[in-house]
Amino acid sequence: MKCRTCRGPAIIDLPRHNANFCAEHFLELCRRQVQKAIDEHEMFSRDERILVAVSGGKDSLAVWDLLLELGYQADGYYIELGIGEYSDHSREITESFARERGLSLRVESLRDDHGFDVPTAAKVTGRVPCSACGLSKRHLFDRAARDGRYDVVVTGHNLDDEAAVLFGNALRWDVEYLSRQMPVLPAGNGFPRKAKPLVRLSERETAAWCIVRGIDYVIEECPMAAGNRHLQYKDLLNDLEEKSPGSKASFYAGFLDRMAPLLASTEHRGAVHRCVRCDAPTGGESDVCAFCRLVDRTKDRDPVPVEMLLSKKARLRLARQGE
Amino acid sequence: MKCRTCRGPAIIDLPRHNANFCAEHFLELCRRQVQKAIDEHEMFSRDERILVAVSGGKDSLAVWDLLLELGYQADGYYIELGIGEYSDHSREITESFARERGLSLRVESLRDDHGFDVPTAAKVTGRVPCSACGLSKRHLFDRAARDGRYDVVVTGHNLDDEAAVLFGNALRWDVEYLSRQMPVLPAGNGFPRKAKPLVRLSERETAAWCIVRGIDYVIEECPMAAGNRHLQYKDLLNDLEEKSPGSKASFYAGFLDRMAPLLASTEHRGAVHRCVRCDAPTGGESDVCAFCRLVDRTKDRDPVPVEMLLSKKARLRLARQGE
């Protein structure tokens, strides 16, 4: 197996590109793909200040690392979600990453700063944990960007993530969600600009980036997400990808190329007013935004242990890991 | 297991409707669903003359039977494709169906009337057999409708077919195909109106219709189609359906409801002129339509036996059936 670029020994095969690469030229490929995504979708410039939403997983650490490598100004922002040992571990990993490289990282804790955590919110609302988690992250990313006067919030969504979300939105033909599923969303109505520079890299590629670059990252999936629909769609797209390499990328790129322009006219973020409590933009009918309502509902509740919310299957798996 | 309507013993469970039905009320459900599709999409009226494209499979025989039951005027049209024993068998089945019921059936043979068959066309063009087969069927259906002055051509496409085609078109984001994937296509540019009255019935339901009604149909899949992408997509949608019953129907209905209106403006059948040879409408650059060109290319070629075009897997399966 030889590197396509230098014919030296390859360390990774990429069936989608029908090629193999050595470590050096694999990193070059990743940099090129990320730069291409940034330029193609006019995500941000080198003069702008970027806030990277970091979780401690491979994608968010890779995107932070890549942006710095490419000469962008990027600070990190981590939210401790209170998902037991998983959160403890990811916080440690994220803080070490920033410390070792002398980077600026802001850390916020749902429990310490807002009085609740994801498992408790899930229990109180009776909805899946991913729902309260997503709501909280969106709200706090937006706020951190406003407070810190950042030009753009960057997330580590990769090609696999975007293709799976697209797949779910297409299965439901959710036209509003489809119209918003772009690699960059402009600022508007009080919301900051958002960008996803990893849309041209697969999950396997961001993991390989971290390994080659010696970046320590949280390997385990969030225990709350195990078996959710998003992961089912990922599996399904992986089956298709295995049968015809490149189909995942062409599914996503084809959407951006041919369908998104037809949906552009339907895009809107609704009539937006300000939350009377925290001043965040909110589109709902209530005077108070969904995050502040969640804070109210979870106030003074005893913390719910992660295990209580896991499916039987997930509990068994965790128990087996502990043996 | 009791019938939802009469509480008598049920013969079929329909998880999508979350209900079971006895034979009588299952038939009633099918009639109602077909009538609903015809009315909702304004497919045709009882004054109009319908040409049903019949293959001898469950779907086309079920739709012919259902239309007559519902009081419509429907004649049959069968094309013998020259796919070995599979074609011999389906022709016999179709002719018996019509004869026993005293129905009008026109039969045309690719080999006898046009000098070629599907396996030979596939070999000569070097493309998958489904390509020449689809081209020939579309051309001859259109012609038969014009010649017989029918108001509309009806095909037996069911919910599973339409969902699988939709799935493939969405995976490729083929906007033109997506815009044409409607249960009824109006006449225009010399093409007849086309309608699919079975879009609200699943494959399992059309098979059950035939069994309950005592209709003998060709059970085996076309040997040329085995393992094609369309069938892969069907399997994949069946997996999703098993996990959440109703997802196939909501995928298709959601498309019609929310996406199709956005695509309506892109619908067009291109600039159409007439084939100088056969007078059929054709959109290509050539003076001669694709069907006439296929007739030319296959002229005087020795017939290719079906087995030559089968995959190794399909040949093994056929051999096993013969044992």
Side-chain angles (χ1 to χ4, degrees):
Chain A
M1 207 167 88
K2 285 182 178 173
C3 172
R4 174 159 83 183
T5 312
C6 68
R7 315 305 300 161
I11 56 139
I12 189 167
D13 66 307
L14 300 180
R16 172 160 65 95
H17 296 285
N18 195 22
N20 312 314
F21 293 94
C22 71
E24 183 191 335
H25 292 115
F26 169 70
L27 296 184
E28 190 182 279
L29 173 94
C30 292
R31 279 185 219 108
R32 213 168 46 228
Q33 293 291 341
V34 170
Q35 190 65 62
K36 199 167 172 182
I38 295 171
D39 294 345
E40 201 170 7
H41 302 288
E42 301 179 357
M43 292 185 175
F44 38 73
S45 70
R46 286 184 176 75
D47 301 328
E48 292 184 301
R49 293 181 60 239
I50 300 166
L51 185 66
V52 182
V54 209
S55 69
K58 61 191 186 320
D59 302 309
S60 56
L61 294 180
V63 77
W64 197 4
D65 189 43
L66 269 153
L67 290 181
L68 295 170
E69 278 252 307
L70 291 169
Y72 291 95
Q73 306 173 45
D75 293 339
Y77 174 55
Y78 172 85
I79 305 170
E80 145 108 53
L81 300 159
I83 306 176
E85 287 175 20
Y86 173 77
S87 285
D88 299 340
H89 183 44
S90 48
R91 181 172 179 159
E92 276 164 33
I93 293 259
T94 307
E95 290 183 327
S96 308
F97 178 90
R99 198 183 323 112
E100 285 162 15
R101 288 160 182 79
L103 305 176
S104 159
L105 172 71
R106 173 173 162 184
V107 172
E108 190 157 356
S109 155
L110 273 191
R111 170 59 60 199
D112 298 343
D113 300 321
H114 304 283
F116 73 98
D117 51 47
V118 165
T120 309
K123 179 84 169 119
V124 170
T125 57
R127 301 186 59 187
V128 289
C130 303
S131 168
C133 182
L135 163 68
S136 304
K137 287 196 288 196
R138 280 191 301 275
H139 179 89
L140 296 174
F141 292 164
D142 291 352
R143 181 143 96 187
R146 272 199 314 279
D147 290 353
R149 299 180 174 273
Y150 286 94
D151 296 292
V152 55
V153 173
V154 152
T155 53
H157 293 93
N158 59 40
L159 175 60
D160 295 65
D161 295 321
E162 293 302 288
V165 170
L166 178 61
F167 188 81
N169 288 337
L171 270 190
R172 287 188 312 277
W173 295 106
D174 188 321
V175 173
E176 204 193 321
Y177 277 23
L178 283 171
S179 75
R180 273 192 268 146
Q181 205 189 344
M182 303 300 292
V184 64
L185 274 181
N189 282 341
F191 294 104
R193 190 189 330 154
K194 300 206 176 134
K196 301 169 186 168
L198 297 189
V199 290
R200 298 181 65 91
L201 292 182
S202 74
E203 209 155 86
R204 191 164 155 261
E205 287 151 19
T206 61
W209 172 272
C210 288
I211 292 165
V212 174
R213 293 274 295 163
I215 296 171
D216 193 19
Y217 63 89
V218 182
I219 291 170
E220 59 267 41
E221 289 277 355
C222 171
M224 311 259 79
N228 74 6
R229 237 170 230 187
H230 182 69
L231 295 178
Q232 282 175 27
Y233 298 154
K234 277 192 174 177
D235 288 346
L236 195 149
L237 288 169
N238 284 338
D239 288 349
L240 285 175
E241 180 73 18
E242 209 174 308
K243 276 175 198 146
S244 37
S247 57
K248 205 185 289 174
S250 82
F251 173 56
Y252 181 65
F255 170 78
L256 295 184
D257 203 36
R258 294 184 293 280
M259 180 55 68
L262 299 176
L263 296 171
S265 58
T266 71
E267 187 197 336
H268 63 98
R269 281 177 175 180
V272 164
H273 55 90
R274 294 290 177 154
C275 170
V276 294
R277 189 86 56 82
C278 75
D279 200 41
T282 173
E285 287 190 5
S286 166
D287 284 347
V288 178
C289 75
F291 182 77
C292 287
R293 295 203 303 275
L294 187 60
V295 170
D296 283 348
R297 289 182 69 182
T298 51
K299 206 170 179 167
D300 302 326
R301 294 284 192 134
D302 286 335
V304 172
V306 172
E307 290 69 24
M308 267 194 63
L309 288 175
L310 297 181
S311 67
K312 217 183 222 173
K313 231 160 107 186
R315 277 201 303 271
L316 273 172
R317 195 171 43 234
L318 276 187
R320 245 179 276 125
Q321 280 174 5
E323 273 166 16
Chain B
M1 207 167 90
K2 285 181 177 173
C3 172
R4 175 160 82 182
T5 311
C6 68
R7 315 305 299 163
I11 56 138
I12 189 167
D13 67 306
L14 300 180
R16 173 161 65 97
H17 296 285
N18 197 20
N20 311 313
F21 293 94
C22 71
E24 184 190 334
H25 292 116
F26 170 69
L27 296 183
E28 190 181 280
L29 173 94
C30 292
R31 279 185 219 106
R32 212 166 49 227
Q33 293 290 342
V34 170
Q35 191 65 62
K36 199 167 172 181
I38 294 170
D39 295 345
E40 202 171 5
H41 302 289
E42 301 178 357
M43 292 184 174
F44 39 73
S45 70
R46 286 185 175 74
D47 301 328
E48 292 185 301
R49 293 181 59 239
I50 300 167
L51 185 65
V52 182
V54 211
S55 68
K58 61 192 186 321
D59 302 309
S60 56
L61 294 180
V63 76
W64 196 4
D65 189 43
L66 269 153
L67 290 181
L68 295 170
E69 277 251 307
L70 291 169
Y72 291 95
Q73 307 173 44
D75 294 339
Y77 174 54
Y78 173 86
I79 306 170
E80 146 108 54
L81 301 159
I83 305 177
E85 287 175 22
Y86 173 76
S87 284
D88 299 341
H89 183 44
S90 49
R91 181 171 178 160
E92 277 165 32
I93 293 259
T94 307
E95 290 183 328
S96 309
F97 178 89
R99 197 183 323 111
E100 286 161 15
R101 288 161 182 80
L103 304 177
S104 158
L105 172 71
R106 172 173 163 186
V107 172
E108 189 156 0
S109 156
L110 272 191
R111 169 61 59 201
D112 298 343
D113 300 322
H114 304 281
F116 73 98
D117 50 47
V118 165
T120 308
K123 179 85 170 120
V124 170
T125 57
R127 301 185 61 186
V128 290
C130 303
S131 168
C133 182
L135 163 67
S136 304
K137 287 197 287 197
R138 280 190 302 275
H139 180 88
L140 296 175
F141 293 163
D142 291 352
R143 180 142 98 189
R146 272 199 314 279
D147 290 353
R149 297 178 176 275
Y150 286 94
D151 296 293
V152 55
V153 172
V154 152
T155 53
H157 293 94
N158 59 39
L159 175 60
D160 295 65
D161 295 322
E162 292 302 288
V165 170
L166 178 60
F167 188 81
N169 288 338
L171 270 190
R172 287 189 311 277
W173 295 105
D174 188 322
V175 173
E176 204 193 321
Y177 278 22
L178 283 170
S179 75
R180 274 191 267 145
Q181 206 188 342
M182 303 301 292
V184 63
L185 274 181
N189 281 341
F191 293 104
R193 189 186 333 153
K194 301 209 175 129
K196 301 169 186 169
L198 298 189
V199 289
R200 298 181 66 92
L201 292 182
S202 74
E203 209 155 86
R204 191 164 155 261
E205 287 151 19
T206 61
W209 172 273
C210 289
I211 292 165
V212 174
R213 292 274 295 164
I215 296 172
D216 194 20
Y217 64 89
V218 183
I219 290 170
E220 59 267 41
E221 288 278 354
C222 171
M224 311 258 80
N228 74 5
R229 239 173 230 187
H230 183 69
L231 295 178
Q232 280 174 29
Y233 297 155
K234 276 192 175 176
D235 287 346
L236 195 149
L237 288 168
N238 284 338
D239 287 348
L240 286 174
E241 179 74 17
E242 208 174 307
K243 276 175 199 147
S244 37
S247 58
K248 206 185 288 174
S250 83
F251 173 57
Y252 181 64
F255 170 78
L256 295 183
D257 204 34
R258 294 184 292 280
M259 181 56 67
L262 298 177
L263 297 171
S265 58
T266 70
E267 187 198 336
H268 63 100
R269 282 178 173 179
V272 165
H273 56 91
R274 295 288 178 156
C275 170
V276 294
R277 188 87 54 83
C278 76
D279 201 41
T282 172
E285 287 190 5
S286 165
D287 284 347
V288 178
C289 75
F291 182 78
C292 287
R293 295 202 304 274
L294 188 59
V295 170
D296 284 348
R297 289 183 69 182
T298 51
K299 207 169 181 170
D300 303 325
R301 294 288 192 128
D302 285 336
V304 172
V306 172
E307 290 69 24
M308 265 193 64
L309 288 176
L310 297 180
S311 67
K312 217 183 220 172
K313 232 160 107 186
R315 279 201 302 270
L316 273 172
R317 196 170 42 235
L318 276 187
R320 245 179 275 127
Q321 280 172 5
E323 273 167 16

